Amino acid sequence: MHWEDIFNNFGFLMRGLAVTFQLAAVSVAGSLIIGTVLGIIRYLRIFPLSLVAAGYIESVRSIPLILFIVFIHFGFLPFILGSESSFFVSSGIALVVFTSAYVAEIVRGGLNSIEKGHLDAAISLGLTRFQRLAYVILPLALGRMMPALVSQFIALIKDTSLASTIGLIELTRSGEIIYERTYHELEVLLFIAFIYFVICFSLSKLGKKLETKPYMVSETKERLYA
Amino acid sequence: MYSIDFNIIAEALPELARGIKLTIFISAVSSLAAFAIGLVTVFARTMATGPYGTAGAIYVEIIRNTPLLLQLYFVYKALPDLGVQFPPVVCGIVALSIYTGAYISEVLRAGINSVTNEQYQAARGLGLSNLQAFALVVFPQAIRVVIPPLSSQFINLVKNSSLVSFIAVSDVFYVVYKGAADDFRFFEFFITGALVYMLLTGFIAVVSNIIEKNVRVPGGEARI
């Protein structure tokens, strides 16, 4: 085994990890904002906009992410800007476009899951439409959306690895650069996979804690029948 | 000025057709294998005794928490270091099946947990073995509940199959990417690729809707 490859290039790998984190953070923020807006538009059925949102969500969800990354970087952005954009910006935009469609569905599902009684109570208290959404329905829905949102963002962190295919030197690409030189693919890939695992696994454990108790799907029982 | 010209797609049609065929082939084989893997894993996690449950849990957690791209690279680039070498298409199928199998096992587990424990106890009380109770009583009830999430896993599989183009498999994404880069016709090829994937995933969605309607337990809707 050649673990010295990892030690010798540890700083390089960590710089890649930092880029992965930055990309993930930017994409989480962007997709949360756009996804929430789209989800609310669909929930409120704001007439022409909700059709546009539905079309956007359904089509994005049936196209692979890699298609967005490659074509936003090599096709759309050069066409709009007239010059090639940075790898980071392209992959960030692609990840936001892709993930916001999923977030929108989670938000819509969460909003729809709120019992009608809450809405009736809010109406009878004289809250306006905006107040009902902002102070009653959305906070209630947030608790129920949490598990799905966390697992969507775990998927997003894993998806940042696709940015390596257009050349962004994030964690996966920095590993590739190392093993393309040393030919010790096994060690480098195992180490990178381990880093992704630690991040995603701890996030999923954290997500379990964030679930609000009364609304969560009961902890699936292991060996229910054993 | 850039002008859209779809003649370029007509010229690339034979190659596109080959790519589509390969994507369908890889997706179909991986779907079957992933379902089988998911089935074995979920049996180990919910029914089997001994270390099998732990092994299943470790498999699912490792696979679900690492990127598919890395798993593809691992099968294609790292396994040869250990003396295991497959052709690229097989590597793609192996990685996709193992990846999707973990997700499918989680979907199936949710379904199995939705079947009440009394069903299992009654089956065992009637003298069925553990495997018989699973295969004849619990599983047939569980599978009906999880057809929608199951079909979205197969849809994900089709979309994820586009990543095999990075281990030198000329699937439909590879053809689209290569065509776009060679002729510098990104819009035409992007729209074509997007349409192909939308058709493939739409087909799965329609089939799953039909299956869901046909296997629904009569009167079961009210309870769920």
XYZ file of all heavy atoms in Angstrom, chain B residues 76-114:
288
model
N -13.638 0.887 -11.710
C -12.954 0.934 -13.008
C -11.443 1.102 -12.859
O -10.674 0.522 -13.625
C -13.527 2.093 -13.822
C -12.956 2.233 -15.208
C -13.135 1.236 -16.161
C -12.244 3.371 -15.566
C -12.618 1.372 -17.428
C -11.727 3.513 -16.834
C -11.911 2.515 -17.769
O -11.394 2.639 -19.021
N -11.013 1.917 -11.869
C -9.592 2.259 -11.795
C -8.857 1.593 -10.639
O -7.653 1.340 -10.733
C -9.431 3.784 -11.664
C -9.863 4.528 -12.903
C -9.827 6.028 -12.657
C -10.223 6.790 -13.912
N -10.453 8.210 -13.626
N -9.571 1.365 -9.513
C -8.864 0.851 -8.339
C -8.889 -0.676 -8.274
O -7.913 -1.290 -7.864
C -9.451 1.433 -7.060
N -9.993 -1.301 -8.707
C -10.051 -2.758 -8.631
C -8.969 -3.432 -9.479
O -8.434 -4.454 -9.059
C -11.447 -3.270 -9.024
C -12.537 -3.101 -7.964
C -13.787 -3.855 -8.363
C -12.072 -3.563 -6.590
N -8.599 -2.882 -10.664
C -7.486 -3.498 -11.401
C -6.207 -3.577 -10.577
O -5.419 -4.513 -10.743
C -7.322 -2.573 -12.613
C -8.672 -2.032 -12.845
C -9.263 -1.853 -11.474
N -5.987 -2.611 -9.638
C -4.817 -2.685 -8.753
C -4.854 -3.949 -7.913
O -3.824 -4.471 -7.507
C -4.783 -1.470 -7.802
C -4.492 -0.185 -8.567
O -4.314 -0.271 -9.794
O -4.457 0.887 -7.936
N -6.074 -4.424 -7.628
C -6.218 -5.627 -6.818
C -6.337 -6.877 -7.682
O -6.582 -7.960 -7.178
C -7.465 -5.512 -5.925
C -7.488 -4.356 -4.929
C -8.851 -4.223 -4.282
C -6.420 -4.551 -3.862
N -6.196 -6.691 -8.988
C -6.226 -7.836 -9.881
C -7.605 -8.202 -10.390
O -7.791 -9.259 -10.968
N -8.584 -7.326 -10.183
C -9.938 -7.579 -10.692
C -10.201 -6.603 -11.828
O -10.206 -5.398 -11.607
C -11.006 -7.393 -9.600
C -12.360 -7.843 -10.102
C -10.618 -8.142 -8.349
N -10.400 -7.095 -13.017
C -10.596 -6.186 -14.141
C -11.815 -6.577 -14.966
O -11.959 -7.738 -15.345
C -9.346 -6.185 -15.021
C -9.222 -4.930 -15.832
C -7.784 -4.623 -16.190
O -6.876 -5.407 -15.924
N -7.557 -3.487 -16.830
N -12.706 -5.620 -15.201
C -13.876 -5.852 -16.048
C -13.808 -4.882 -17.216
O -13.163 -3.847 -17.134
C -15.170 -5.561 -15.285
C -15.361 -6.340 -14.026
C -15.443 -5.685 -12.810
C -15.480 -7.721 -14.057
C -15.636 -6.393 -11.643
C -15.676 -8.423 -12.881
C -15.747 -7.763 -11.678
N -14.525 -5.200 -18.304
C -14.678 -4.195 -19.353
C -15.502 -3.017 -18.829
O -16.282 -3.180 -17.884
C -15.407 -4.929 -20.475
C -15.818 -6.237 -19.935
C -15.115 -6.488 -18.662
N -15.348 -1.812 -19.419
C -16.011 -0.609 -18.895
C -17.507 -0.762 -18.686
O -18.030 -0.333 -17.651
C -15.718 0.439 -19.959
C -14.493 -0.015 -20.621
C -14.473 -1.505 -20.557
N -18.208 -1.390 -19.651
C -19.666 -1.502 -19.520
C -20.022 -2.302 -18.264
O -20.931 -1.935 -17.509
C -20.281 -2.150 -20.782
C -21.768 -2.345 -20.596
C -20.017 -1.297 -21.996
N -19.268 -3.392 -18.029
C -19.535 -4.220 -16.857
C -19.250 -3.424 -15.590
O -20.019 -3.474 -14.622
C -18.693 -5.514 -16.912
C -18.947 -6.360 -15.677
C -19.006 -6.297 -18.167
N -18.145 -2.656 -15.600
C -17.831 -1.796 -14.441
C -19.007 -0.876 -14.146
O -19.419 -0.730 -12.984
C -16.613 -0.928 -14.736
S -15.083 -1.819 -14.706
N -19.545 -0.262 -15.195
C -20.659 0.658 -15.014
C -21.852 -0.048 -14.404
O -22.471 0.452 -13.451
N -22.174 -1.232 -14.940
C -23.334 -1.978 -14.434
C -23.110 -2.381 -12.983
O -24.008 -2.240 -12.144
C -23.607 -3.213 -15.326
C -24.119 -2.755 -16.694
C -24.599 -4.142 -14.674
C -24.256 -3.850 -17.706
N -21.890 -2.848 -12.664
C -21.598 -3.277 -11.294
C -21.773 -2.104 -10.334
O -22.495 -2.196 -9.327
C -20.160 -3.845 -11.201
C -19.730 -3.985 -9.747
C -20.071 -5.177 -11.910
N -21.157 -0.958 -10.653
C -21.216 0.187 -9.737
C -22.647 0.704 -9.605
O -23.110 0.975 -8.495
C -20.292 1.295 -10.229
N -23.353 0.815 -10.733
C -24.731 1.321 -10.678
C -25.636 0.388 -9.875
O -26.487 0.848 -9.109
C -25.295 1.484 -12.093
C -24.881 2.732 -12.861
C -25.288 2.613 -14.323
C -25.509 3.978 -12.254
N -25.438 -0.944 -10.042
C -26.290 -1.894 -9.320
C -26.040 -1.811 -7.832
O -26.981 -1.800 -7.036
C -26.016 -3.327 -9.790
O -25.973 -3.388 -11.175
N -24.756 -1.742 -7.457
C -24.439 -1.696 -6.029
C -24.966 -0.401 -5.423
O -25.519 -0.397 -4.322
C -22.913 -1.839 -5.831
C -22.485 -3.251 -6.220
C -22.519 -1.541 -4.392
C -21.001 -3.476 -6.180
N -24.821 0.702 -6.167
C -25.273 2.002 -5.658
C -26.791 2.018 -5.499
O -27.324 2.301 -4.434
C -24.824 3.090 -6.632
C -25.162 4.502 -6.219
C -24.387 5.179 -5.297
C -26.251 5.167 -6.775
C -24.674 6.470 -4.931
C -26.551 6.468 -6.412
C -25.755 7.116 -5.487
O -26.060 8.393 -5.137
N -27.506 1.658 -6.581
C -28.959 1.730 -6.524
C -29.534 0.674 -5.587
O -30.575 0.899 -4.961
C -29.542 1.581 -7.935
O -28.805 2.422 -8.817
C -30.995 1.983 -7.977
N -28.835 -0.476 -5.476
C -29.292 -1.536 -4.585
C -29.435 -1.046 -3.151
O -30.399 -1.397 -2.460
N -28.487 -0.221 -2.709
C -28.551 0.309 -1.340
C -29.787 1.176 -1.158
O -30.496 1.072 -0.146
C -27.293 1.118 -1.042
N -30.076 2.025 -2.165
C -31.254 2.890 -2.056
C -32.540 2.067 -2.108
O -33.493 2.326 -1.372
C -31.245 3.935 -3.184
C -30.308 5.074 -2.903
C -28.982 5.018 -3.287
C -30.739 6.196 -2.214
C -28.112 6.057 -3.014
C -29.880 7.237 -1.938
C -28.571 7.161 -2.335
O -27.717 8.180 -2.042
N -32.568 1.069 -3.000
C -33.770 0.248 -3.125
C -34.021 -0.509 -1.828
O -35.169 -0.649 -1.380
C -33.640 -0.706 -4.341
C -33.801 0.108 -5.621
C -34.662 -1.826 -4.276
C -33.706 -0.685 -6.881
N -32.947 -0.982 -1.183
C -33.156 -1.721 0.071
C -33.790 -0.814 1.123
O -34.611 -1.265 1.912
C -31.840 -2.307 0.566
O -31.143 -1.374 1.352
N -33.415 0.477 1.124
C -34.020 1.404 2.083
C -35.499 1.624 1.768
O -36.336 1.687 2.670
C -33.288 2.743 2.058
C -31.955 2.707 2.746
C -32.084 2.510 4.246
O -32.218 3.494 4.955
O -32.056 1.349 4.686
N -35.823 1.735 0.466
C -37.221 1.899 0.072
C -38.033 0.680 0.497
O -39.113 0.802 1.083
C -37.319 2.116 -1.456
C -38.752 2.016 -1.918
C -36.728 3.457 -1.846
N -37.483 -0.506 0.220
C -38.192 -1.737 0.573
C -38.348 -1.851 2.082
O -39.370 -2.328 2.586
C -37.434 -2.956 0.032
C -37.409 -3.115 -1.487
C -36.567 -4.317 -1.874
C -38.821 -3.277 -2.036
N -37.319 -1.393 2.824
C -37.381 -1.489 4.274
C -38.528 -0.639 4.822
O -39.245 -1.053 5.735
C -36.063 -1.034 4.886
C -35.882 -1.478 6.325
C -34.438 -1.433 6.688
N -33.974 -0.071 6.765
C -33.707 0.552 7.915
N -33.852 -0.094 9.040
N -33.281 1.787 7.918
N -38.691 0.555 4.233
C -39.802 1.401 4.661
C -41.123 0.679 4.426
O -42.027 0.712 5.261
C -39.768 2.721 3.902
N -41.227 -0.010 3.263
C -42.450 -0.747 2.959
C -42.686 -1.874 3.942
O -43.804 -2.084 4.422
N -41.613 -2.599 4.266
C -41.748 -3.741 5.168
C -42.132 -3.267 6.559
O -42.948 -3.886 7.242
C -40.443 -4.561 5.160
C -40.410 -5.397 3.884
C -40.329 -5.447 6.392
C -39.140 -6.104 3.645
N -41.560 -2.122 6.975
C -41.920 -1.589 8.289
C -43.368 -1.121 8.342
O -43.929 -0.961 9.427
C -40.988 -0.444 8.677
C -39.655 -0.957 9.165
O -39.559 -2.084 9.631
N -38.631 -0.139 9.045
N -43.971 -0.883 7.159
C -45.362 -0.444 7.157
C -46.336 -1.622 7.280
O -47.518 -1.416 7.517
C -45.670 0.347 5.880
O -45.850 -0.538 4.806
